[in-house]
Structures are given as C-alpha cells and as structure tokens.
Amino acid sequence: MVEKTQILLIYTGGTIGMVLDTESNALKPFDFDNLYNSIPVLANMNCCINIYSFDQLIDSSNVNPDFWIKLACVIEENYEKYNGFVVLHGTDTMAYSASALSFMLENLNKPIVFTGSQLPLGMVRTDGRENFINAIEIASAQTDNAPIVPEVVIYFENRLFRGNRTNKFNAENFDAFLSGNYPPLAEVGVHIRYNEAYIQKPNFKKLKVHKKLDSNVAILKLFPGITEKVVRSMIEVEGLRALILETYGAGNAPTDAWFIKALKYAIEQKDLIIFNVTQCKGGSVEIGKYETSIEIGKIGVVGGYDITTESAIAKLMYLLGSGYTKNEIERFLQIPLRGEMSII
Ligand code: ASP
C-alpha cells in the first residue's frame, strides 16, 4: 500500500474559513477541528491532514511582515514532519504573502499551496470547497517520492500559479487571480495537468528561513498630472530605503526636468534605491526602449523587468532585511532569485 502523504493545513483567516451561523445569520469561523466530518470526501484522499490554526484569525487586509515571519516559523518548525503545506488565507493580500514567503524560504523543496475563496466554505455556492480539495491534492502530489510542485504557489479556480507572479485582479469573480507574465503551473479539469516545464525543480539543499524583513519601502504610482510636491514628499519620508516607481507601459515616465532632478537627488543624496516596475499586468520594463525611459535609466533607476508590484515589495523587504549593501541589492533586483521575473 502506498504510504499516505502528511499535509499541514495552516488556517490564517479570510473568507474561506467562514460559515453562516443559522441562528444569528452572521459569518463565523468554520470548525476546522471537525474537518473530516464537514468534508467527508477528504477521508478518501491519499493524505493525512493536521491542522494548525493561528490564534488570531485575520482578514488578510491586516497582514503585515510580522505575520509573514510567524507563518514562516510555523513552516520551519513543521518542515521535516510534513510532505506539503496548505495555507488558507484571505484573497486580498494573498499575492503579497505568497511572494514574501517565496523569498523568505530559500531552498524550498516542498509545496506551500496558498488558497482561499470568494464565498465562505459554509455557503452552498462556495468556491472554497473545490479550491480547498484541489489545494490539498496538489500539496500531496508526488512523483518518484518527490513533490511535483516544490514551490510557493496559489491555487485558485482551476489554476495553479507561481505565487510571486500573481495579482488579485477581480473582487467579484471566482476567477480572481492573474499571472500575466508566467503560465499556470497546473490546470485542473477532469485531470490535474501539471506544466512541468514551468515548475521549479527541487535542489535538495537545506531549507534556510530568512526572518528579517525591512519595511522601509514605498510605492509611487505615476499618473498624468503628478506634482513635484507629491514626488518630493515621498522621497523625503524619514527612514525610507527603497521606492518602487510604478511606471507606464515598458517602464516609461515623464521627462520633465523637475521629475528627473528629484529622482537623481533621491538616488545620489538620499541613497534611495528606485525600482522601476510597470503598471501593466503583462509585459516587461525595458529601459531605453522609449525616449521616456532613457533618462531614468541613466540616473540609476533599476529596471524590474516583468516583476509584479506585490513581488517587488516582498523582494525589497527581504533584501533590505538581509543586510546587503545598496549595490548588492540593486544587483539582486535584476536577477530572478525565486523565479519571480523573466529577464529579456
Ligand atoms: N477580505 C477578505 C480577506 O482577504 C477577502 C477574502 O478572503 O477573500 O481576508
């Protein structure tokens, strides 16, 4: 008989874990201790599920770096005991959390599958049940005694994505996540079809958990009409170490003299790292492709290729927290560390 895989289900909060209390008509947390009674089909799966529930269940809008550190610690403490992990998490910041965990867990050789739902698990039309069962199935999937997906991933509405490539793009549809620059790692229909060519291979090295994150970062999203006052006030934020510049299209920005001067001052006088990430959900920053990105390239703005803003924030917090110099960080920003971007 094939041995059952061991899965740790980590419940952090979010819509998926809710049921409707028939007496009060309000949403209350699902009783995960009675999981097998509530979803009897789980008993037929080839895995054993243990549950770790956060003491304080949160709406994911309240996620912060301390929460990521706690989550990473739970995974580290249980890493040897389990074949895979499923993280039930609110959808709102799931892409940020999956990105953060991907950087924090270096040499990850086991699946960490984030999932959630748009409707609570306890509602008749919920998308949570399918998301949950498929996430468990994917976290347990093995070939030749090795996990098929040894990565931090998001499973949602029939598709499995690399976590640090996603954004939540829809607050209404069950199909809520997008991975504009990287193909799904698996598609689920009658069969689960893994796109093996796109899945990272295990490196069998020892897991290293990075628990220092520096949140002295900010995002400056460009828009036509942005004023010098706004740009200058961002640059002057006390303690700020890195600024993500959300640019237009292929990394383009205004060419006004005041704008270039302000960024140059930020880089040279304030020692800020400025990271150019596109506002587009697909495609890449290509500094120098248009005249409107030549100048910012020349003054030392770093191009982020096709990285998502969510992943850029997580990568910066991780790199700044790791004690690297500004030059080292700027170099790492242009190298994929966890498959978070493609170099063109
Ligand atoms: N606000 C909820 C959360 O992110 C939404 C959800 O779970 O889908 O926690």
Side-chain angles (χ1 to χ4, degrees), residues 304-317:
Y305 296 95
D306 61 354
I307 198 167
T308 61
T309 299
E310 290 84 339
S311 202
I313 278 284
K315 189 170 181 177
L316 278 168
M317 285 192 192

Side-chain angles (χ1 to χ4, degrees), residues 20-125:
L20 197 66
D21 185 300
T22 40
E23 271 164 37
S24 65
N25 217 21
L27 290 171
K28 61 169 192 187
F30 181 88
D31 180 6
F32 279 93
D33 292 333
N34 274 318
L35 187 63
Y36 283 96
N37 289 338
S38 310
I39 310 179
V41 74
L42 291 175
N44 302 337
M45 294 174 79
N46 196 32
C47 61
C48 287
I49 305 169
N50 285 333
I51 297 152
Y52 179 97
S53 191
F54 270 53
D55 293 339
Q56 215 193 337
L57 300 172
I58 54 167
D59 183 297
S60 77
S61 306
N62 286 318
V63 155
N64 57 29
D66 287 341
F67 166 89
W68 292 333
I69 293 166
K70 186 154 184 237
L71 183 53
C73 288
V74 172
I75 292 169
E76 183 180 35
E77 279 156 24
N78 290 284
Y79 192 71
E80 294 308 326
K81 283 184 257 162
Y82 292 93
N83 301 97
F85 301 82
V86 171
V87 182
L88 299 183
H89 190 291
T91 56
D92 289 345
T93 60
M94 193 186 289
Y96 289 92
S97 293
S99 298
L101 268 289
S102 77
F103 292 109
M104 295 167 81
L105 304 175
E106 189 178 345
N107 298 328
L108 180 68
N109 282 295
K110 296 189 179 182
I112 314 282
V113 187
F114 278 76
T115 197
S117 65
Q118 296 281 56
L119 280 179
L121 207 46
M123 285 180 102
V124 180
R125 284 196 312 106

Side-chain angles (χ1 to χ4, degrees), residues 322-334:
S322 298
Y324 295 114
T325 63
K326 186 182 178 207
N327 280 347
E328 284 168 332
I329 295 176
E330 289 182 335
R331 192 166 58 80
F332 283 134
L333 286 174
Q334 292 171 84

